[in-house]
């Protein structure tokens, strides 16, 4: 049973549209992350948060933004989608203050921008 | 910065043993994770090593040598459902860095 949920699972959208990818977790984890993964490639961190009202950019430059108003919710927004944004987006969470705490991943959103 | 290297693809036979290697270069090394990812699904946690030595969990074991910047994942009694990508991830001063994953193909 998943404790971290992402919606939608699949999304096809036209260039220039604004979209928000939803991510929620019920484990009370302080840390949450957004990764981008292209087929056969490594996960790249695009945003992370260590708690409410805390957000940071990751390694990979991204035109997306995130917010963390509630512990359980970490949505990612693209103001103007482009074909280069086509990818899989994975949300993850982990316990705060514990170095060996593994990441728990959602099932991902596969985004296609036409 | 961090650098993680692992083979792109490996093939093994059902019932056999396979070892997937991972080398890393990480500043401020603070642990190494292995994840399993089936096609089209999210990664799931397999193991964590921060001290040298072998950690065993059922059919899966993971080894770490910090002096050599080296880890391996050992899978025993391979089953068809073990066909997946195996991701090595190092935690360092810059956070968690993932390798590209090793695509493991199990043949009957």
């Amino acid at each position: 049973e998943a404790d971290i949920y992402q919606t939608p699972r699949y999304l096809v959208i036209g260039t220039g549209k604004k979209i928000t990818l939803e991510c929620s977790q019920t484990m009370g984890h302080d840390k949450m992350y957004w990764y981008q993964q292209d087929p056969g490639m490594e996960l790249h961190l695009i945003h992370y948060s260590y708690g409410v009202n805390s957000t940071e950019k990751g390694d990979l430059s991204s035109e997306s933004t995130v917010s963390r108003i509630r512990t359980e919710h970490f949505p990612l927004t693209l103001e103007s989608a482009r074909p280069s944004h086509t990818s899989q987006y994975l949300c993850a969470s982990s316990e705060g203050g514990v170095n060996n705490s593994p990441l728990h991943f959602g099932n991902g959103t596969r985004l296609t921008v036409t | 910065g961090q650098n993680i290297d692992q083979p792109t693809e490996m093939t093994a036979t059902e019932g056999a043993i396979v070892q997937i290697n991972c080398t890393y270069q990480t500043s401020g090394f603070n642990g190494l994770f292995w994840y399993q990812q089936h096609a089209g699904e999210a990664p799931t946690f397999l193991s964590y090593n921060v001290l040298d030595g072998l950690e065993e969990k059922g059919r899966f074991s993971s080894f770490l040598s910090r002096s050599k910047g080296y880890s391996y994942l050992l899978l025993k009694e391979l089953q068809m459902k073990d066909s997946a990508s195996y991701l090595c991830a190092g935690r360092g001063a810059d956070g968690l860095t993932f390798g590209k994953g090793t695509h493991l193909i199990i043949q009957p």
Side-chain angles (χ1 to χ4, degrees):
Chain A
E1 185 176 338
D3 296 316
I4 179 163
Y5 307 91
Q6 289 186 244
T7 57
R9 187 76 192 271
Y10 301 94
L11 180 63
V12 181
I13 198 165
T15 298
K17 298 292 185 184
K18 177 180 178 179
I19 55 169
T20 295
L21 308 185
E22 299 290 346
C23 177
S24 295
Q25 51 96 2
T26 59
M27 296 171 281
H29 286 168
D30 287 325
K31 297 182 179 179
M32 295 190 74
Y33 312 81
W34 276 103
Y35 285 89
Q36 187 174 337
Q37 185 183 31
D38 292 321
M41 301 299 289
E42 64 265 54
L43 281 77
H44 288 290
L45 181 66
I46 49 176
H47 294 283
Y48 63 97
S49 166
Y50 284 172
V52 171
N53 293 326
S54 146
T55 61
E56 301 287 345
K57 288 187 180 291
D59 317 318
L60 185 67
S61 173
S62 173
E63 292 153 338
S64 58
T65 58
V66 291
S67 63
R68 189 89 183 276
I69 298 171
R70 303 196 318 264
T71 298
E72 60 270 22
H73 194 213
F74 192 41
L76 180 143
T77 298
L78 275 168
E79 291 294 331
S80 179
R82 294 211 299 267
S84 60
H85 295 138
T86 295
S87 188
Q88 171 153 267
Y89 293 83
L90 289 162
C91 180
S93 70
S94 67
E95 290 183 50
V98 181
N99 279 336
N100 65 347
S101 175
L103 299 181
H104 297 261
F105 286 89
N107 282 329
T109 293
R110 188 168 294 281
L111 174 66
T112 302
V113 183
T114 60
Chain B
Q2 302 191 63
N3 190 43
I4 306 285
D5 284 313
Q6 51 181 130
T8 302
E9 187 174 286
M10 298 181 71
T11 302
T13 305
E14 190 177 14
I17 299 172
V18 70
Q19 178 175 309
I20 302 174
N21 296 324
C22 170
T23 57
Y24 65 89
Q25 293 172 313
T26 303
S27 57
F29 177 77
N30 193 21
L32 191 125
F33 293 82
W34 283 95
Y35 286 83
Q36 180 190 60
Q37 185 177 26
H38 285 101
E41 296 182 11
T44 55
F45 169 71
L46 289 178
S47 68
Y48 171 77
N49 295 71
V50 67
L51 300 177
D52 290 351
L54 189 68
E55 295 279 342
E56 296 187 73
K57 266 189 187 182
R59 293 191 299 115
F60 292 5
S61 303
S62 57
F63 172 83
L64 178 68
S65 168
R66 288 173 298 171
S67 62
K68 295 181 180 177
Y70 166 70
S71 173
Y72 67 72
L73 181 69
L74 191 73
L75 292 78
K76 304 176 186 176
E77 301 169 16
L78 286 170
Q79 301 173 11
M80 297 303 292
K81 67 178 182 179
D82 296 330
S83 291
S85 283
Y86 292 85
L87 313 179
C88 176
R91 172 167 280 158
D94 296 338
L96 193 64
T97 298
F98 284 85
K100 292 184 180 181
T102 298
H103 184 210
L104 178 63
I105 299 167
I106 308 298
Q107 295 176 334

